[in-house]
Amino acid sequence: MNWMVPSAAMVTNPSLDLRFRSADPAEAERLGEIVIAGVSHWGHDVNYPAAVDSLRAEGLPTPEYVARSPVFVLEDGDGLIGFYGLGVEPDHVELIYLFLDTDRIGSGFGRRLWDHALVEAARHGTRLVIKSDPMAVGFYEAMGATRGPEVEISPGFRLTTLTLDLDESAS
């Protein structure tokens, strides 16, 4: 599937009072709360408590990560809507986080985060790698990512690896 890197005008609509900005390291705890709320929204805290415990122990955004990595928040007049965070590697860019406030799921904000993340990822590399929660695989596939192997991160809980070529564009 071909895709086009969206312009800044496509990812921010001033009429909705939306804005993207770089996350502040002081927000790391709040971003972690959004991650935990998101995985709990899908029932992982009940169905896969060991995976969520592991996430709490070593998988949440830290102030150091936010300070050194491309991490952006989407907000409106009511506050933080969601965020994404990238990891820049020599041969690819990894989408480490893409989470919404659970009250905003299903409102089109995930697509806005995704579009902004693509623009930012393309600044750092030509290949995007995603290790997706099972509940988000369909979203990433609909956005053009190609499904790859699954990785077990905790007994019974697997993430799906997806990829997207960032230098591919629709003409």
Side-chain angles (χ1 to χ4, degrees):
M1 173 179 200
N2 289 338
W3 65 276
M4 179 178 69
V5 173
S7 70
M10 293 171 65
V11 298
T12 303
N13 181 344
S15 67
L16 296 177
D17 192 29
L18 297 176
R19 90 180 174 112
F20 283 93
R21 63 171 172 78
S22 293
D24 186 300
E27 294 177 294
E29 184 174 343
R30 174 69 180 117
L31 301 180
E33 291 169 357
I34 291 172
V35 171
I36 294 300
V39 298
S40 297
H41 174 81
W42 299 114
H44 299 330
D45 57 331
V46 173
N47 298 316
Y48 303 101
V52 176
D53 288 345
S54 176
L55 179 64
R56 285 181 199 274
E58 57 191 55
L60 298 177
T62 64
E64 296 77 23
Y65 166 76
V66 174
R68 68 172 163 56
S69 303
V71 180
F72 289 85
V73 299
L74 173 61
E75 59 189 4
D76 64 9
D78 295 327
L80 196 121
I81 295 170
F83 80 102
Y84 71 86
L86 302 173
V88 179
E89 302 295 333
D91 63 339
H92 69 276
V93 178
E94 184 172 353
L95 180 65
I96 297 175
Y97 303 101
L98 193 151
F99 283 89
L100 291 169
D101 180 285
T102 56
D103 292 338
R104 307 295 188 108
I105 293 173
S107 300
F109 294 113
R111 174 62 189 252
R112 289 175 183 273
L113 283 169
W114 171 258
D115 288 347
H116 195 276
L118 290 183
V119 172
E120 183 64 23
R123 293 181 57 237
H124 299 281
T126 60
R127 184 168 164 258
L128 183 66
V129 174
I130 307 151
K131 290 184 184 137
S132 176
D133 178 286
M135 301 306 291
V137 171
F139 171 80
Y140 293 122
E141 287 180 321
M143 297 297 107
T146 302
R147 185 187 294 237
E150 291 184 350
V151 178
E152 188 170 51
I153 62 161
S154 184
F157 188 77
R158 297 178 174 274
L159 297 180
T160 300
T161 303
L162 298 104
T163 58
L164 183 73
D165 290 330
L166 297 170
D167 60 351
E168 182 180 304
S169 64
S171 301

